[in-house]
């Protein structure tokens, strides 16, 4: 499960940078979130974090359309969800801009 100090991968449809705030929908729960830090990029072919020539994780300044990133999020209220590893068919996550 994702919690403080951990990160998770999300598919994005907008350009996202640290400080970006939006509404996150997980199952039937709705919570406001803010992207604190983008901690890595995922290689779509391998499903692993992208690394540079020295083996360090690539930390992007922003995430472009349809990139998959690892990010630390700040939630406006506590949220309890199942781990994707244990329940992949039931796990859905959507981000929407605040109006």
């Amino acid at each position: 499960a994702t919690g403080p100090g951990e990160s998770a991968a999300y598919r994005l449809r907008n350009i996202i940078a640290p400080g970006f705030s939006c509404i996150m929908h997980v199952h039937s729960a709705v919570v406001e979130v803010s992207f604190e830090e983008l901690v890595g990029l995922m290689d779509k072919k391998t499903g692993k974090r992208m690394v540079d020539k020295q083996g360090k994780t690539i930390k992007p300044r922003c995430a472009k359309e349809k990139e998959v990133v690892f990010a630390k999020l700040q939630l406006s209220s506590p949220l309890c969800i199942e781990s994707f590893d244990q329940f992949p068919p039931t796990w859905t996550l959507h981000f929407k801009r605040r109006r």
Side-chain angles (χ1 to χ4, degrees), residues 33-48:
V33 299
S34 177
F35 282 75
E36 284 190 344
E37 181 182 8
L38 303 180
V39 295
L41 284 172
M42 179 185 283
D43 183 337
K44 292 181 190 179
K45 294 179 184 176
T46 64
K48 297 181 181 179

Side-chain angles (χ1 to χ4, degrees), residues 21-36:
S21 294
C22 59
I23 304 296
M24 181 174 72
H25 297 260
V26 182
H27 302 298
S28 61
V30 178
V31 65
E32 188 173 334
V33 299
S34 177
F35 282 75
E36 284 190 344

Side-chain angles (χ1 to χ4, degrees), residues 12 14-22 33-41 58-64 67 69-74 98:
L12 305 171
N14 301 311
I15 295 177
I16 305 290
F20 178 79
S21 294
C22 59
V33 299
S34 177
F35 282 75
E36 284 190 344
E37 181 182 8
L38 303 180
V39 295
L41 284 172
I58 297 173
K59 291 177 72 172
R61 292 184 188 168
C62 64
K64 299 177 192 98
E67 282 185 329
V69 297
F70 292 90
K72 289 185 180 179
L73 303 174
Q74 177 67 45
R98 290 187 298 171

Side-chain angles (χ1 to χ4, degrees), residues 45-96:
K45 294 179 184 176
T46 64
K48 297 181 181 179
R49 287 183 188 223
M50 295 175 71
V51 295
D52 61 15
K53 294 178 182 179
Q54 288 81 31
K56 293 182 181 178
T57 301
I58 297 173
K59 291 177 72 172
R61 292 184 188 168
C62 64
K64 299 177 192 98
E65 185 176 3
K66 297 186 182 179
E67 282 185 329
V68 178
V69 297
F70 292 90
K72 289 185 180 179
L73 303 174
Q74 177 67 45
L75 282 65
S76 62
S77 61
L79 179 66
C80 181
I81 57 174
E82 299 90 0
S83 169
F84 177 79
D85 296 338
Q86 295 176 352
F87 299 96
T90 62
W91 218 85
T92 60
L93 175 75
H94 300 281
F95 292 107
K96 292 183 181 175

